[in-house]
Amino acid sequence: MANERLRGAITESGLTLDQVATRLGVSAKTVERWISEPNRKPYRRFQYATASLLHSEVSYLWQEERTSAEVTEAGNAELVQLYPHRSVVPNRLWPQLYAQAKNHFDVLVYSGFWLTEDAAFHQVVKEKSAAGVSIRFMLGDPDCAAVAARGSDEGIGPAMASKIRNALLNYGSLFGLPGVEFRLHSTTLYNSIYRADDEMLANGHLYGVGAYMAPVLHLQRVPGGELFDAYAESVERVWESARPISKPDDIGGQGT
């Protein structure tokens, strides 16, 4: 059953779904899912923000609100494995993860250069492309301020931008494949995220430390969990703000 209380509150407010989404900082599709899919409740911060925007009570818009203990329990169930460093994640896990993808195949990084040299990963991309899976690569714009800052933070300076350019060149044979899209983003990236349907690897970024030395969370989506979806939402926000490119050297003149 759809959330008719939320639908009605939006209608009474005089706002459109697009306007609500813009003010909350999410996509219109996300708001639609909150209405049409009763099991896809917003995270608590969005519940309170939505209630405030619509001049309603959270308990009115979303009944049977769960306790903090229930939220914590569901979050624990979402964690498959915690790796203290990306360097200790089994190399085979990355292509294995994406080999199961049927609906979502996302790579959100600045460069993710090490993955561009993995022949098994390239093969999975080609196989999934042939199978009709939508594949989205989001790399940092090498000319943007966020990439420059990240290079400085890691102590490698302009080498970060060079790694991105080299990564794009390594992906050259993937450009133009059916369903494969590349975009460049200019966001401050707090996590590199590798998503395949309802599983993902989230590689955190630590100030002054290369991503290969930062922790990795192996997550799975479970009913009632909020952690997986929180990361998945951030991927969507980056995708929507990023700009498409059609070839590896389609970069110049677009930086910030």
Side-chain angles (χ1 to χ4, degrees), residues 111 113 139 154 156 158-168:
S111 72
F113 183 77
L139 280 72
E154 288 191 14
I156 62 175
M160 177 61 71
S162 297
K163 287 172 64 176
I164 295 172
R165 291 187 170 89
N166 289 339
L168 290 169

Side-chain angles (χ1 to χ4, degrees), residues 38-80:
N39 292 327
R40 296 290 296 275
K41 292 182 180 179
Y43 312 118
R44 288 181 180 274
R45 66 183 184 279
F46 288 129
Q47 289 181 8
Y48 287 112
T50 303
S52 175
L53 176 64
L54 301 178
H55 304 290
S56 298
E57 295 293 333
V58 171
S59 59
Y60 172 79
L61 297 176
W62 291 281
Q63 297 176 298
E64 301 178 0
E65 186 59 31
R66 296 177 300 159
T67 66
S68 296
E70 291 172 328
V71 173
T72 300
E73 183 178 356
N76 289 336
E78 290 182 279
L79 181 61
V80 177

Side-chain angles (χ1 to χ4, degrees), residues 5-255:
R5 290 189 175 188
L6 177 57
R7 189 198 308 275
I10 292 175
T11 300
E12 290 179 9
S13 73
L15 298 172
T16 65
L17 289 184
D18 285 335
Q19 290 172 327
V20 170
T22 298
R23 297 193 186 188
L24 295 177
V26 299
S27 68
K29 289 183 178 179
T30 295
V31 178
E32 290 175 0
R33 287 196 293 268
W34 293 347
I35 296 173
S36 61
E37 302 177 27
N39 292 327
R40 296 290 296 275
K41 292 182 180 179
Y43 312 118
R44 288 181 180 274
R45 66 183 184 279
F46 288 129
Q47 289 181 8
Y48 287 112
T50 303
S52 175
L53 176 64
L54 301 178
H55 304 290
S56 298
E57 295 293 333
V58 171
S59 59
Y60 172 79
L61 297 176
W62 291 281
Q63 297 176 298
E64 301 178 0
E65 186 59 31
R66 296 177 300 159
T67 66
S68 296
E70 291 172 328
V71 173
T72 300
E73 183 178 356
N76 289 336
E78 290 182 279
L79 181 61
V80 177
Q81 181 72 47
L82 169 62
Y83 298 95
H85 312 295
R86 193 191 71 203
S87 59
V88 301
V89 178
N91 291 335
R92 66 182 183 279
L93 182 56
W94 310 90
Q96 284 179 351
L97 177 79
Y98 284 112
Q100 69 186 5
K102 295 181 179 178
N103 299 302
H104 297 279
F105 188 127
D106 296 328
V107 177
L108 170 59
V109 294
Y110 271 147
S111 72
F113 183 77
W114 57 276
L115 194 59
T116 74
E117 297 184 313
D118 188 331
F121 175 69
H122 279 253
Q123 183 60 33
V124 170
V125 173
K126 293 174 181 177
E127 291 174 355
K128 291 302 172 180
S129 169
V133 177
S134 176
I135 300 169
R136 304 188 301 181
F137 286 94
M138 290 154 270
L139 280 72
D141 186 329
D143 295 324
C144 77
V147 166
R150 181 64 184 176
S152 176
D153 293 344
E154 288 191 14
I156 62 175
M160 177 61 71
S162 297
K163 287 172 64 176
I164 295 172
R165 291 187 170 89
N166 289 339
L168 290 169
L169 290 175
N170 285 353
Y171 281 142
S173 64
L174 304 182
F175 279 81
L177 290 180
V180 177
E181 296 183 77
F182 283 86
R183 291 189 181 184
L184 298 180
H185 68 87
S186 301
T187 63
T188 299
L189 195 62
Y190 300 103
N191 297 273
S192 295
I193 299 176
Y194 309 84
R195 179 189 181 183
D197 290 348
D198 290 339
E199 285 192 56
M200 69 168 58
L201 297 168
N203 184 188
H205 289 182
L206 301 176
Y207 182 80
V209 177
Y212 70 97
M213 286 297 293
V216 173
L217 303 178
H218 184 178
L219 303 175
Q220 63 181 350
R221 174 180 276 150
V222 301
E226 298 183 357
L227 189 56
F228 181 98
D229 285 342
Y231 283 99
E233 287 286 352
S234 71
V235 173
E236 296 305 318
R237 286 195 287 273
V238 174
W239 179 256
E240 291 170 3
S241 66
R243 65 179 182 87
I245 59 172
S246 58
K247 55 184 186 294
D249 59 354
D250 190 8
I251 296 174
Q254 298 295 327

